[in-house]
Amino acid sequence: MSEGKLAGQFFDAAIDLLQRVRDEEADSIAAAGTLIADTVADGGRLFAFGAGHSSLAAQDVVYRAGGLALMNLLAVPGVVGVDVMPATLGSALERVDGLASAVLDTSPLRAGDVLVIISLSGRNALPVEMAMNARALGVRVIGVTSVAYATETRSRHVSGTYLKDHCDIVLDSKIALGDATLTLDTIQAPFAPASTVVTSALLQAVMATAAGTLAERGIEPPLLRSGNVDGGHEWNGRVMEEYGDRIFYRR
């Protein structure tokens, strides 16, 4: 089998997943976008969190050209990505009870804010506890996860629950157990994961919905422009000055 054929199969698998979330999650995407628009209009703040590779989708909506300037990264040291050494430490920290409480206690999150929590499996202590405690603070939670994991794996949180059980809105990425999309007789393990592609697309669809909803209400969405186009830095400076009290990645 040629490498080109495998590449085409991966694209087909990713496209199929994107079509599924487009069609099957349309109502949830609309609800999430509306919630974010409501929060912006009401003076609330926006945060995104993900651990390990799930953090890639969170980072993709923070300080992003064409994105909402008000989206902030809720960073947990050691689990933001695979830069921690050893990389396996990040996975271990996701299973530590109490870590989410410590993070939220020292974060700027407050009642009326929105927190997007991204976790493919939704089974580890960190995202589950993060969602539970955030809602207890009066924060609205949007969860991005694969609901299939809740029926095919065992929760690692003491409550036996999953991220999906503690969200105001759930976006199901439809990713199959194990993430990988391809198999081959000559390769022992499945390969070609698609969760980053799908999760990032889901969140960008939500952000687009939020921007459009704000515009429909006569509110200029606080969008950033690319710093690599003429006038981009000046535009962003004005947006950040206007909304500076709700932007935390500049401090």
Side-chain angles (χ1 to χ4, degrees):
M1 178 176 291
S2 69
E3 292 82 355
K5 187 172 182 180
L6 285 174
Q9 288 180 350
F10 173 74
F11 280 119
D12 288 342
I15 290 168
D16 179 65
L17 285 163
L18 288 170
Q19 289 176 331
R20 285 190 63 195
V21 297
R22 180 195 63 192
D23 298 338
E24 299 173 22
E25 297 300 299
D27 290 344
S28 295
I29 291 170
T34 299
L35 175 56
I36 287 176
D38 290 343
T39 304
V40 172
D42 294 341
R45 292 90 58 78
L46 308 173
F47 296 85
F49 165 78
H53 288 96
S54 290
S55 180
L56 295 174
Q59 294 179 58
D60 192 50
V61 294
V62 176
Y63 188 50
R64 180 69 190 236
L68 292 173
L70 305 191
M71 184 61 74
N72 302 277
L73 185 68
L74 182 64
V76 179
V79 304
V80 172
V82 294
D83 58 330
V84 62
M85 296 296 291
T88 52
L89 174 61
S91 298
L93 288 174
E94 288 187 65
R95 300 192 289 270
V96 174
D97 293 327
L99 179 56
S101 297
V103 170
L104 289 175
D105 287 346
T106 56
S107 79
L109 272 163
R110 67 187 184 192
D113 291 346
V114 164
L115 173 61
V116 179
I117 300 178
I118 306 152
S119 174
L120 175 59
S121 72
R123 68 188 295 226
N124 288 311
L126 182 55
V128 173
E129 183 183 318
M130 186 81 74
M132 293 174 66
N133 291 7
R135 293 183 84 190
L137 294 172
V139 174
R140 304 292 296 277
V141 175
I142 299 171
V144 187
T145 186
S146 172
V147 172
Y149 276 79
T151 58
E152 299 180 43
T153 67
R154 179 177 299 177
S155 171
R156 288 177 173 150
H157 188 258
V158 65
S159 68
T161 60
Y162 298 78
L163 170 61
K164 74 174 186 62
D165 299 317
H166 305 284
C167 299
D168 296 279
I169 299 169
V170 175
L171 299 173
D172 184 2
S173 64
K174 316 293 181 181
I175 300 297
L177 194 70
D179 197 357
T181 61
L182 302 182
T183 58
L184 200 60
D185 291 342
T186 54
I187 300 177
Q188 294 188 22
F191 55 101
S195 59
T196 303
V197 173
V198 176
T199 303
S200 293
L202 262 173
L203 285 180
Q204 291 298 349
V206 169
M207 297 304 138
T209 301
T213 302
L214 286 167
E216 288 176 357
R217 299 177 185 178
I219 301 172
E220 178 69 26
L223 296 169
L224 294 173
R225 292 189 174 187
S226 172
N228 294 313
V229 299
D230 292 343
H233 285 299
E234 292 76 13
W235 171 280
N236 293 342
R238 290 191 295 271
V239 172
M240 291 184 181
E241 181 177 358
E242 181 177 354
Y243 292 94
D245 60 333
R246 298 155 74 180
I247 297 173
F248 297 92
Y249 51 79
R250 300 177 66 221
R251 303 177 183 178

